[in-house]
């Protein structure tokens, strides 16, 4: 752990396992209550000085961290592949995406503008400035174990907040490597603290209840996010939540189904489907289903599944046994209720894959609203295809979910695409675009997908208060 600029080994520890091989890849401390208190004291004390630094000083440190991250990108990607499982090339892409947030917020730090507002009174002046909210408790997930850290820490630090990070218990080694980078970049002791814990609720409760933490930022499941939000509400804390998703993909009749299948196979099987923006309901017009499913299934079958450290691997393992069981259960439920399998549909165990949690890239068609997979987030490499008859029903079907994070549209017609964007209740919409994400673009969802936005100009606002000064002259 990294508290107040120092490395702590702690007493008890827990092991980190490679989901592709079952090997132990590391061991990290299981924090005690005293460690949590030490991190709170450190972050609270450091805040008093950190908030008084200039944006230029904070920017320079973020810029330095960006340089260090890029210099160590191969090493970071290897750590990620070993503890999280994604193919090395995908891990490298994530490290780049993660570094982008450091650069973006090194720049945004200098653009935290206030405003002057005309008053109705001749002798009054209104001046608004921005102030950092204070100590931030950050909880990050295992599926994007580096970029979710920088997406939170970069804007928080740029704003002048100090941070206590609690990474997911499956991927603490990525967090440790990032703490090394912040340390080497020269962030003052206590501005960045990283605590690792096996039972995350212990830290979550403190983040919600301790008065010194003024802001909670969380990425993870809707179930946990809702609970944390309820607890934090009792103490009226600022909260940002990036939660689950159940992205629809709308393939309009004017789109080329083969082209759409190519794009959707790339985004569906990215990170083994373990992404909150992964397409989970693919709507294709009945006449086009054959052409679409043939292409999607052929791509699924060609994907090389294995250890992400092998150069030819295109799809890594799921994170753990529980994930494997959830995916299998959803597929079995769909098949029992009449869906048809075009590819995959089972766990992979040959050639040593039984040591890890591998599930074959799967394509299901004939999926209907009666099936679990139609409503529940899958977080696995399963592409469910749903046939529709008329375009009129499409938007209603796509919006028929408690989630509102990402949606994808395939159409060659500008009016169709525009109306789809306007009609979809989702925070992120890719139009013929399978990667509508960037440090420069706002990321976040509606409905049960959470609140607040990360990245972009908005990202830093989550860590700022507005302070109004009224002057009577
Ligand atoms: P997932 O199902 O994707 O693992 P979780 O919401 O369980 O999603 O995990 C996301 C993050 O939330 C991880 O860092 C995890 O340790 C943390 N977490 C899980 N349960 C709690 C909790 N009760 N309080 C605080 N953090 C939690």
């Amino acid at each position: 752990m990294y508290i107040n600029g120092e490395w702590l080994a702690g007493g008890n520890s827990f092991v980190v396992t490679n989901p592709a091989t079952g090997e132990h890849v590391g061991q990290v401390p299981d924090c005690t209550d005293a460690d949590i208190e030490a991190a709170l004291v450190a972050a609270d004390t450091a805040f008093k000085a950190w908030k008084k630094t200039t944006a230029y000083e904070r920017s320079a440190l973020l810029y330095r961290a960006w340089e260090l991250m890029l210099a160590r990108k191969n090493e970071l990607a290897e750590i990620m592949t070993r503890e999280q499982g994604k193919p090395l090339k995908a891990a490298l892409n994530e490290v780049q995406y993660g570094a982008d947030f450091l650069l973006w917020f090194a720049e945004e730090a200098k653009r935290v503008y206030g405003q002057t507002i005309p008053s109705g009174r001749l002798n009054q002046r209104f001046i608004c400035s921005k102030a950092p909210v204070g100590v931030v408790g950050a909880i990050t997930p295992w599926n994007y174990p580096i970029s979710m850290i920088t997406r939170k820490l970069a804007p928080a630090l740029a704003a002048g907040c100090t941070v206590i990070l609690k990474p997911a218990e499956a991927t603490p080694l990525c967090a440790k490597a990032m703490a090394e980078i912040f340390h080497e970049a020269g962030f003052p002791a206590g501005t960045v603290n990283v605590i690792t814990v096996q039972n995350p609720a212990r830290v979550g409760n403190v983040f919600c209840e301790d008065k010194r933490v003024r802001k909670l930022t969380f990425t993870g499941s809707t179930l946990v996010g809702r609970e944390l939000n309820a607890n934090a509400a009792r103490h009226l804390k600022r909260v940002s939540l990036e939660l689950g998703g159940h992205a629809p993909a709308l393939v309009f009749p004017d789109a080329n189904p083969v082209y759409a299948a190519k794009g959707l196979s790339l985004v569906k099987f990215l990170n083994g489907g373990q992404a909150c923006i992964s397409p989970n309901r693919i709507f294709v017009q009945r006449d086009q289903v054959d052409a679409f499913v043939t292409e999607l299934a052929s791509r699924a079958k060609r994907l090389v599944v294995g250890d992400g450290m092998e150069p030819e691997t295109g799809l890594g393992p799921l994170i753990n046994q529980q994930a494997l069981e959830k995916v299998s259960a959803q597929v079995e439920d769909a098949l029992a209720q009449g869906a048809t399998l075009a590819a995959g549909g089972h766990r992979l165990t040959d050639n040593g894959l039984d040591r890890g949690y591998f599930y074959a890239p799967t394509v299901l068609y004939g999926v209907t609203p009666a099936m679990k997979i139609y409503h529940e987030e899958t977080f696995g490499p399963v592409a469910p295809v749903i046939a529709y008859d008329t375009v009129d029903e499409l938007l209603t079907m796509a919006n028929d979910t408690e989630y509102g994070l990402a949606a994808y549209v395939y159409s060659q017609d500008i009016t169709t695409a525009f109306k789809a964007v306007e009609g979809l209740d989702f925070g992120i919409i890719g139009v013929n675009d399978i990667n509508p994400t960037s440090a420069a673009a706002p990321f976040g969802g509606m409905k049960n997908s959470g609140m607040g936005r990360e990245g972009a100009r908005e990202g830093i606002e989550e860590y700022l208060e507005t302070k109004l000064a009224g002057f009577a002259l």
Side-chain angles (χ1 to χ4, degrees), residues 52-173:
K52 290 188 180 145
T53 55
T54 66
Y56 283 80
E57 291 171 81
R58 299 194 297 273
S59 173
L61 291 172
L62 286 165
Y63 187 78
R64 179 79 189 116
W66 173 71
E67 288 179 322
L68 290 169
M69 233 184 128
L70 293 185
R72 289 175 63 176
K73 68 179 179 197
N74 291 320
E75 180 203 340
L76 290 169
E78 284 182 18
I79 294 171
M80 194 189 302
T81 295
R82 287 212 172 83
E83 75 173 346
Q84 196 271 350
K86 70 181 68 181
L88 201 51
K89 194 161 154 263
L92 270 171
N93 287 342
E94 183 186 337
V95 174
Q96 179 64 56
Y97 177 55
D100 289 348
F101 289 101
L102 294 172
L103 181 60
W104 175 262
F105 286 108
E107 293 161 346
E108 286 301 290
K110 295 175 275 185
R111 294 177 180 84
V112 177
Y113 302 124
Q115 59 178 333
T116 60
I117 300 169
S119 163
R121 278 173 32 209
L122 194 58
N123 70 339
Q124 189 179 46
R125 305 289 180 270
F126 285 136
I127 298 175
C128 289
S129 56
K130 298 278 179 174
V133 291
V135 174
V136 173
I139 299 180
T140 52
W142 50 263
N143 60 341
Y144 286 88
I146 283 189
S147 56
M148 295 305 97
I149 292 176
T150 52
R151 198 158 81 177
K152 296 182 186 316
L153 268 55
L157 293 165
C161 296
T162 57
V163 186
I164 305 171
L165 166 69
K166 190 218 74 65
E169 45 283 18
T171 55
L173 302 179

Side-chain angles (χ1 to χ4, degrees), residues 242-416:
E242 204 270 279
L243 309 176
H246 202 256
L250 292 69
V251 182
F252 280 91
D254 66 80
N256 176 342
V258 173
Y259 180 72
K262 176 184 171 194
L264 290 169
S265 76
L266 291 171
V267 62
K268 175 69 241 186
F269 298 119
L270 191 71
N271 213 16
Q274 301 173 115
C276 45
I277 60 168
S278 190
N280 236 38
R281 290 170 300 143
I282 303 174
F283 296 101
V284 182
Q285 201 195 30
R286 205 170 295 280
D287 296 347
Q288 292 190 334
V289 167
D290 277 355
F292 182 88
V293 167
T294 303
E295 178 65 18
L296 191 60
S298 122
R299 286 179 173 272
K301 287 175 188 162
R302 273 182 278 152
L303 264 177
V304 178
V305 185
D307 186 336
M309 295 303 282
E310 304 295 334
E312 70 277 10
T313 296
L315 184 75
L318 292 170
I319 193 70
N320 55 29
Q321 179 67 26
Q322 214 185 341
L324 201 54
E325 283 165 14
K326 183 177 177 196
V327 172
S328 303
Q330 282 195 1
V331 171
E332 273 154 34
D333 169 76
L335 293 176
Q337 301 205 58
T340 307
L341 208 51
H346 52 87
R347 182 181 180 179
L348 294 171
T349 51
D350 289 351
N351 304 320
L353 295 190
D354 57 329
R355 295 183 301 149
Y357 308 108
F358 293 95
Y359 197 84
T362 298
V363 177
L364 285 173
Y365 64 100
V367 169
T368 68
M371 301 169 189
K372 271 193 196 144
I373 203 160
Y374 190 94
H375 303 284
E376 288 178 15
E377 193 172 33
T378 304
F379 246 59
V382 183
V385 178
I386 300 141
Y388 68 86
D389 293 304
T390 67
V391 168
D392 299 342
E393 61 187 332
L394 197 47
L395 282 179
T396 311
M397 287 165 87
N399 285 332
D400 178 24
T401 167
E402 61 177 299
Y403 296 109
L405 189 57
Y408 302 87
V409 172
Y410 273 91
S411 172
Q412 290 305 311
D413 181 74
I414 188 77
T415 306
T416 302

Side-chain angles (χ1 to χ4, degrees), residues 139-142 166-169 200-201 203-205 218-221 224 228 379:
I139 299 180
T140 52
W142 50 263
K166 190 218 74 65
E169 45 283 18
V203 174
N205 291 343
F218 172 82
T219 297
S221 60
V224 174
L228 290 171
F379 246 59

